[in-house]
Amino acid sequence: MPGAGPAAQAAPEPPEPSAPARVTALSGGTGGSDALAPLVDRVMDALARGARRRGGPVAPGRPGDVAATVSEVFGGPAAVTGAEALDRLTELLAHGSADPADASCAAHLHCPPLAIAVAADLAVSALNPSQDSWDQAPAATALETLLLQELAALVGYEPEQAAGVLTSGGTESNLMGLMLARDRVLGAASGRQIELTGVPGAGTEGAPRPRILASAAAHFSVQRAAALLGLGEDAVLPVPVDHQLRMDPEALAAVLEGCAERGELPVAIVATAGTTDTGAIDPLPACAALAAQHGAWLHVDAAYGGGALLSDRLAPLLDGLGLADSVSLDWHKLGWQPAAAGVFLVRRSETYASLARRAVYLNPADDEEAGYPSLLGLSLRTTRRADAFKIAVTLRTLGREGLGRLVDACRDLAVSGARAVAEHPRLELHSEPVLTAFLFRYLPEAAQDGPHESDAEYGARCDAVNAALRRRLLREGSAVVGRTELPGEGPGRVRLKLTLLNPHTTAAEVERLLHAVVAAGRAEEEEEEAR
């Protein structure tokens, strides 16, 4: 027969790769998935083992216990090496991590990521595209551009006029917004190109002292950004807030008038759409009107509250967001993405001018003229992951409606949890939830023996018990509850916080968590009496 004989026999199977070859295999190329698949299986097994060992929201013990365990596996005389490293260290990480998917892990804006988003992120890690030049990430460059246009429309911007970039989170986004505000507003006032010549000295060269106005409950990254931008943390003027920690628009107007009387320049107003403690949303239309009146840039930190845009019920809370000059969003909060998934957007692309950069080895002018786009001038970073991909996959898989249902589920949890607090005689609710978080505190028994406690003395005891009961829950491994302090001075300001970002948690589980808080508070009181 034609083809018969030795030449037509099946080729022999390639030899099994040696152990050194297996551990130095790459995740890319045509054979990358074959090398990666068995390792992913091992990681999944190790994650499951670690979670079973942990058995709850966090492993019991103190910080020293965790450090000793990590040292034993990683750095001690019997440290794991070789083929065991992936399994043992992954199990260690799972066992020693706080698990935001556990109903009793509700302290921070730390979401349990969707499995579909994690799977998409694995593809990015395997391929390792970098967004600093088109030739490193052709498809990812185009996808990020399209995703940002979609998100700009969601915010209320005209997509063709807006611009933006994926960031590491709200801190980076807030820095970018205030950098552009500095360059535009201070540059216009001083007649200088600030990004080239630097910030002029206060009151010299015709430049008044620059000011940034933010609520007393704004994120600490506002002060950090002012320091990094050469304005100094003292340039940030705090604006008083109401009981729910919303910026008071009348107080904002008064602070702006004070700037005008002193000859100071309001460079930016930072409004918050979703404070980290209460989820409070500043009055955005009023902030926009005052910014326009005083020639200030309006930046809205919607890192948390931006998730409300996904919900038909909650989106009206963000009316006026499209009036902002720039916006921060974080999809690793109310978007259920693995970190990092920050977004920075500006309403007008021309306001991005001071960030533009040309690096001849990354985005030469003739490449761009030939139609090869570059995202380099949109970011503070050079090497940058394709973080847009997981968001894009999630949006196309669930759609805004599907994600909106998750947002609504978390909001309903917060409402029912706040109701349970209000009905419990030993708990005190600070205010009704706006988004998915609320503040409360445990109320110790009033002193029965000895002299009558003053309000200040009782407030100090409340602070001590609430701080201690949170640490007790961590030591026991039974719950991860947040802790914060209300603005102001003096005792009585410590509050506990639940931030509910798991849409699969039930109201009954939240109520059990609150009972655990009460039990821990009583245990702390008993220990205090015993001392």
Side-chain angles (χ1 to χ4, degrees):
M1 291 178 59
Q9 293 177 2
E13 290 291 327
E16 187 72 21
S18 64
R22 285 196 298 270
V23 298
T24 59
L26 304 178
S27 64
T30 56
S33 58
D34 292 334
L36 187 58
L39 297 175
V40 171
D41 289 340
R42 288 169 57 188
V43 165
M44 295 299 102
D45 289 342
L47 287 174
R49 289 196 306 273
R52 285 194 297 269
R53 283 182 54 212
R54 186 182 64 243
V58 67
R62 298 175 182 270
D65 301 324
V66 177
T69 301
V70 173
S71 178
E72 180 182 354
V73 177
F74 181 73
V80 63
T81 57
E84 281 191 295
L86 177 63
D87 304 76
R88 292 281 305 282
L89 289 174
T90 301
E91 182 178 345
L92 172 70
L93 180 66
H95 174 260
S97 291
D99 181 9
D102 191 289
S104 294
C105 186
H108 301 287
L109 287 165
H110 176 202
C111 75
L114 292 163
I116 188 72
V118 174
D121 209 31
L122 173 62
V124 170
S125 293
L127 294 168
N128 205 29
S130 180
Q131 301 290 85
D132 49 316
S133 67
W134 184 91
D135 58 2
Q136 297 178 81
T141 296
L143 186 62
E144 179 169 318
T145 302
L146 291 172
L147 174 70
L148 288 168
Q149 290 175 353
E150 189 169 320
L151 296 180
L154 186 65
V155 162
Y157 290 166
E158 290 292 333
E160 298 78 14
Q161 298 176 15
V165 74
L166 270 290
T167 71
S168 59
T171 295
E172 182 183 347
S173 297
N174 290 346
L175 174 63
M176 292 180 71
L178 292 176
M179 176 181 175
L180 296 179
R182 179 200 67 177
D183 296 345
R184 301 282 298 184
V185 178
L186 187 55
S190 64
R192 300 172 56 162
Q193 196 168 348
I194 302 298
E195 68 272 20
L196 295 181
T197 64
V199 177
T204 63
E205 304 180 49
R209 181 173 186 181
R211 290 293 197 182
I212 296 169
L213 288 74
S215 86
H219 196 261
F220 67 86
S221 60
V222 174
Q223 280 81 2
R224 177 179 285 175
L228 290 171
L229 295 171
L231 304 176
E233 293 194 23
D234 288 345
V236 181
L237 297 179
V239 178
V241 295
D242 62 16
H243 179 74
Q244 203 170 48
L245 308 191
R246 292 172 80 242
M247 187 189 291
D248 181 343
E250 293 184 1
L252 174 60
V255 176
L256 285 164
E257 289 299 330
C259 288
E261 291 170 2
R262 295 187 297 271
E264 298 170 347
L265 179 67
V267 169
I269 295 171
V270 179
T272 305
T275 58
T276 54
D277 284 345
T278 64
I281 297 172
D282 290 339
L284 302 181
C287 291
L290 287 166
Q293 178 183 339
H294 290 267
W297 179 283
L298 176 62
H299 175 70
V300 176
D301 178 359
Y304 174 23
L309 296 170
L310 299 167
S311 162
D312 289 339
R313 284 165 45 189
L314 299 180
L317 294 172
L318 270 66
D319 285 349
L321 184 62
L323 301 172
D325 294 290
S326 57
V327 172
S328 302
L329 305 172
D330 274 4
W331 296 108
H332 52 251
K333 293 183 171 70
L334 268 181
W336 297 281
Q337 301 297 297
V343 175
F344 174 70
L345 294 166
V346 295
R347 181 158 47 94
R348 300 183 308 277
S349 58
E350 63 269 21
T351 61
Y352 235 120
S354 61
L355 264 174
R357 287 295 178 271
R358 178 77 60 200
V360 294
Y361 71 100
L362 292 174
N363 62 340
D366 55 316
D367 268 7
E368 291 195 349
E369 291 165 4
Y372 291 81
S374 170
L375 305 181
L376 181 67
L378 297 173
S379 179
L380 294 177
R381 292 176 286 164
T382 305
T383 302
R384 187 165 61 82
R385 293 182 86 248
D387 287 319
F389 182 72
K390 59 198 173 192
I391 304 175
V393 168
T394 303
L395 278 173
R396 287 297 173 267
T397 302
L398 280 79
R400 176 181 175 271
E401 182 181 355
L403 286 166
R405 285 195 294 269
L406 302 183
V407 173
D408 290 341
C410 291
R411 174 72 187 340
D412 291 343
L413 277 177
V415 170
S416 65
R419 188 181 305 121
V421 166
E423 293 172 354
H424 198 290
R426 300 299 297 274
L427 298 175
E428 178 186 72
L429 181 67
H430 174 70
S431 60
E432 293 296 328
V434 178
L435 297 171
T436 69
F438 60 88
L439 301 184
F440 67 105
R441 65 176 174 173
Y442 171 79
L443 297 173
E445 291 277 8
Q448 301 296 320
D449 302 322
H452 175 72
E453 280 183 304
S454 67
D455 289 345
E457 290 169 333
Y458 181 73
R461 192 155 62 87
C462 280
D463 289 350
V465 170
N466 279 273
L469 77 82
R470 174 181 167 273
R471 292 189 292 271
R472 173 182 288 271
L473 291 169
L474 285 172
R475 287 196 307 274
E476 295 172 348
S478 54
V480 185
V481 175
R483 176 203 188 277
T484 190
E485 295 182 17
L486 300 177
E489 300 292 335
R493 293 182 297 114
V494 170
R495 292 294 184 276
L496 303 175
K497 175 172 64 171
L498 294 190
T499 307
L500 299 166
L501 296 181
N502 183 346
H504 302 300
T505 296
T506 66
E509 287 172 323
V510 174
E511 194 161 350
R512 281 199 293 273
L513 173 56
L514 292 170
H515 286 310
V517 168
V518 172
R522 285 176 170 152
E524 285 298 323
E525 286 190 271
E526 290 170 3
E527 282 196 6
E528 183 183 5
E529 289 174 7
R531 289 195 294 267

